[in-house]
Amino acid sequence: MVFLKQIDFRLMGKHEIFIELVHLMSKLYGWYFLLAGIFKVFIGILFTDKLKEMFIERLLEIPPNSIGYMYLSAFAIPCSFPIAWILTIGEINVGLCFIKSTNFLYANLAAIFIIINIGLGGYSSLTLLLFLFLPILLLMLGVSEKYQPMMRTKFFF
């Protein structure tokens, strides 16, 4: 594994620095998703009604005329058990894909899907926009196809 202090940015061009920064951001993003999925496993969201309880609690906090209220009452609460599985396994898969620098297109699209659904569920905040920024940026720049082979050769994990 290459650590930051082993990389000499003075000898690198702008293109190489960009690749390294994108790689570092994607690794951190992946760790966030992986740890979020593992946390959901540990709190027992897969085999209990914990997510349904969280949705009901959130439903009582948001205004009844909002999109989040309709999303929660019509879709998320009745389907909370499959949503818990899709959300947890999806977060773990996205995290592993970003950490291992594989399947970038799938990981970006799945991350966007998960974040949009979290936002629709009434959990919207400005931090969601930041988490939505990186996968959209990677898709817009074509980083998944363009830089993935270079990024995988620089690091051993």
Side-chain angles (χ1 to χ4, degrees):
M1 182 170 104
V2 176
F3 293 98
L4 285 178
K5 62 183 176 180
Q6 293 174 327
I7 300 173
D8 192 4
F9 287 107
R10 293 174 291 173
L11 300 175
M12 300 171 77
K14 290 180 182 178
H15 180 71
E16 293 168 326
I17 291 173
F18 174 74
I19 292 171
E20 292 297 329
L21 291 176
V22 167
H23 186 67
L24 179 65
M25 286 190 313
S26 66
K27 295 287 184 194
L28 294 173
Y29 195 77
W31 278 108
Y32 173 80
F33 267 89
L34 181 66
L35 293 175
I38 291 171
F39 175 73
K40 286 177 179 58
V41 170
F42 282 129
I43 65 170
I45 213 167
L46 295 177
F47 303 107
T48 63
D49 285 339
K50 190 126 181 140
L51 187 63
K52 188 175 190 174
E53 294 169 6
M54 291 166 63
F55 284 155
I56 292 171
E57 181 181 311
R58 184 66 186 141
L59 187 67
L60 299 174
E61 296 173 358
I62 59 177
N65 57 355
S66 66
I67 294 173
Y69 189 89
M70 292 186 297
Y71 178 81
L72 286 172
S73 60
F75 175 69
I77 292 174
C79 302
S80 63
F81 192 69
I83 289 173
W85 279 87
I86 291 168
L87 180 66
T88 305
I89 293 172
E91 284 180 342
I92 291 171
N93 281 334
V94 167
L96 289 174
C97 286
F98 272 106
I99 290 170
K100 296 180 79 174
S101 296
T102 58
N103 299 329
F104 260 33
L105 180 62
Y106 158 76
N108 287 319
L109 293 176
I112 291 169
F113 175 76
I114 289 171
I115 292 168
I116 287 174
N117 280 296
I118 289 171
L120 283 175
Y123 294 98
S124 56
S125 69
L126 291 177
T127 56
L128 280 182
L129 293 176
L130 295 173
F131 280 103
L132 202 56
F133 175 73
L134 181 66
I136 290 174
L137 178 69
L138 292 175
L139 287 174
M140 285 175 47
L141 295 175
V143 171
S144 58
E145 297 86 18
K146 203 171 182 183
Y147 299 114
Q148 186 177 358
M150 286 184 257
M151 290 179 0
R152 292 188 66 195
T153 58
K154 286 269 191 187
F155 292 86
F156 295 111
F157 63 95

